[in-house]
């Protein structure tokens, strides 16, 4: 595998931004002249950056064992949202990033070859991508995700008063989150009503995690709507030992081929 860190100018953000990429070694596939790799976009949590999954978990080693490319973008504290008072991180992550990554690196654009996952804020971002663009991803995974943002934003604003950025900079009026495109429960209902072909969804959350109830609410709604959504809950907190342990299991769950396609 090759681990790459690159800096490029984002037209959407209007500034340079950072991206980490992990790529399988094409020499391992001599019969494929122009390999295109299956790709997991791996999203970081609040207060983290694009390198945390690589520094604090064994994500690179797990990907190497499975011939899986990783794309790890930076999204600041944006909750993967076009901020009310800030940058257009949602547009960057959902539109510009895939195009830029595929232009620079040998990544497959096919739905069946693309997956998204993340922890905490990144779990919210992963399910947001899956529910707003179900045609682009075969599967999505949330580790301890902030999956009920209409509730979590109010809770977070109370718990994190004085920290930057406050949730109001991200979402504006917090009362407007519910029923909007930033509300995963609303998106889940809309997809169910439209009978969209959703990506496979998988959730993990520890019993000691402060976001446990938000995960329960999302799972209960999915079950009530008849939307398939796997859920594993075991002892664990909102921390890297828990996420690393379940990342390996999640990668085993993904429909991976173990080899690239011909580009």
């Amino acid at each position: 595998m090759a681990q790459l860190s690159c800096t490029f100018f984002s037209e959407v953000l209007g500034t340079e931004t950072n991206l980490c990429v992990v790529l399988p070694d094409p020499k391992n596939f001599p019969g494929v002249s122009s390999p295109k790799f299956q790709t997991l976009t791996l999203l970081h949590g609040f207060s983290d950056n694009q390198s945390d999954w690589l520094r604090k978990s064994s994500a690179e080693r797990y990907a190497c064992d499975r011939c899986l490319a990783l794309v790890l973008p930076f999204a600041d504290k944006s909750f993967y949202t076009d901020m009310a008072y800030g940058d257009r991180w949602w547009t960057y992550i959902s539109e510009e990033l895939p195009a830029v990554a595929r232009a620079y690196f040998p990544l497959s654009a096919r739905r069946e070859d693309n997956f998204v996952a993340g922890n905490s804020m990144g779990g919210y971002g992963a399910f947001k991508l899956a529910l707003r663009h179900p045609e682009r991803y075969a599967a999505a995974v949330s580790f301890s995700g902030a999956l009920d943002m209409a509730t979590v934003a109010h809770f977070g604003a109370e718990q994190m008063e004085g920290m930057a950025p406050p949730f109001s900079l991200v979402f504006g009026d917090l009362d407007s989150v519910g029923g909007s495109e930033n509300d995963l429960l609303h998106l889940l209902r809309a997809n169910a009503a439209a009978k969209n072909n959703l990506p496979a969804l998988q959730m993990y959350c520890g019993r000691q995690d402060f976001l446990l109830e938000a995960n329960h609410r999302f799972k209960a709604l999915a079950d009530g709507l008849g939307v398939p959504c796997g859920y594993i809950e075991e002892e664990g907190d909102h921390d890297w030992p828990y996420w690393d342990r379940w990342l390996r299991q999640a990668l085993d769950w993904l429909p991976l081929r173990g080899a690239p396609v011909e580009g």
Side-chain angles (χ1 to χ4, degrees), residues 136-157:
R136 299 181 184 178
Y137 300 96
V141 181
S142 167
F143 301 97
S144 309
L147 302 184
D148 180 9
M149 188 50 62
T151 300
V152 170
H154 280 283
F155 169 80

Side-chain angles (χ1 to χ4, degrees), residues 153-253:
H154 280 283
F155 169 80
E158 296 171 2
Q159 297 297 313
M160 304 171 71
E161 184 176 1
M163 292 183 65
F167 283 83
S168 59
L169 291 185
V170 177
F171 298 106
D173 179 4
L174 297 184
D175 291 329
S176 69
V177 176
S180 74
E181 290 189 333
N182 293 317
D183 178 3
L184 299 186
L185 304 186
H186 166 71
L187 295 175
L188 191 61
R189 293 187 189 98
N191 276 280
K195 299 182 179 180
N196 289 333
N197 179 24
L198 288 175
L201 302 176
Q202 179 67 35
M203 302 164 53
Y204 300 88
C205 195
R207 293 196 179 104
Q208 287 72 45
D209 198 298
F210 73 96
L211 290 173
L212 182 63
E213 291 304 315
N215 282 258
H216 285 173
R217 286 191 290 272
F218 186 95
K219 174 59 174 170
L221 179 60
D223 289 347
L225 294 171
V227 175
C229 182
Y231 180 51
I232 293 178
E233 177 184 310
E234 289 197 355
E235 297 302 308
D237 211 330
H238 199 82
D239 56 28
W240 283 102
Y242 181 84
W243 299 326
D244 179 70
R245 183 168 79 249
W246 288 107
L247 174 62
R248 179 162 52 182
Q249 196 276 346
L251 295 185
D252 288 338
W253 170 79

Side-chain angles (χ1 to χ4, degrees), residues 10-165:
S10 165
E11 299 290 343
V12 170
L13 301 175
T15 188
E16 291 190 339
T17 189
N18 298 311
L19 176 67
C20 289
V21 177
V22 173
L23 293 174
D25 191 339
K27 294 195 297 293
N28 293 333
F29 311 98
V32 183
S33 59
S34 300
K36 295 287 187 181
F37 294 104
Q38 289 188 293
T39 304
L40 174 65
T41 300
L42 197 50
L43 305 180
H44 67 77
F46 193 84
S47 299
D48 290 341
N49 63 36
Q50 73 283 352
S51 71
D52 280 72
W53 273 106
L54 300 179
R55 293 187 296 113
K56 298 177 181 178
S57 81
S58 296
E60 181 179 3
R61 178 165 57 85
Y62 299 154
C64 179
D65 293 340
R66 294 161 177 81
C67 184
L68 178 67
L70 302 179
V71 171
L72 304 102
F74 176 62
D76 208 355
K77 298 177 180 178
S78 67
F79 274 86
Y80 301 91
T81 296
D82 284 347
M83 298 173 67
Y85 304 98
D87 290 321
R88 294 189 298 150
W89 289 101
W90 167 253
T91 301
Y92 164 68
I93 292 291
S94 64
E95 303 297 336
E96 187 178 25
L97 173 68
V100 168
R102 290 167 190 157
Y104 288 154
F105 306 106
L107 308 175
S108 173
R110 304 191 316 179
R111 181 185 194 251
E112 60 266 32
D113 291 336
N114 279 275
F115 320 103
V116 61
N119 62 315
S120 192
M121 180 184 85
Y124 166 80
F127 272 22
K128 188 175 181 180
L129 282 167
L131 295 174
R132 288 185 63 173
H133 292 295
E135 75 284 357
R136 299 181 184 178
Y137 300 96
V141 181
S142 167
F143 301 97
S144 309
L147 302 184
D148 180 9
M149 188 50 62
T151 300
V152 170
H154 280 283
F155 169 80
E158 296 171 2
Q159 297 297 313
M160 304 171 71
E161 184 176 1
M163 292 183 65

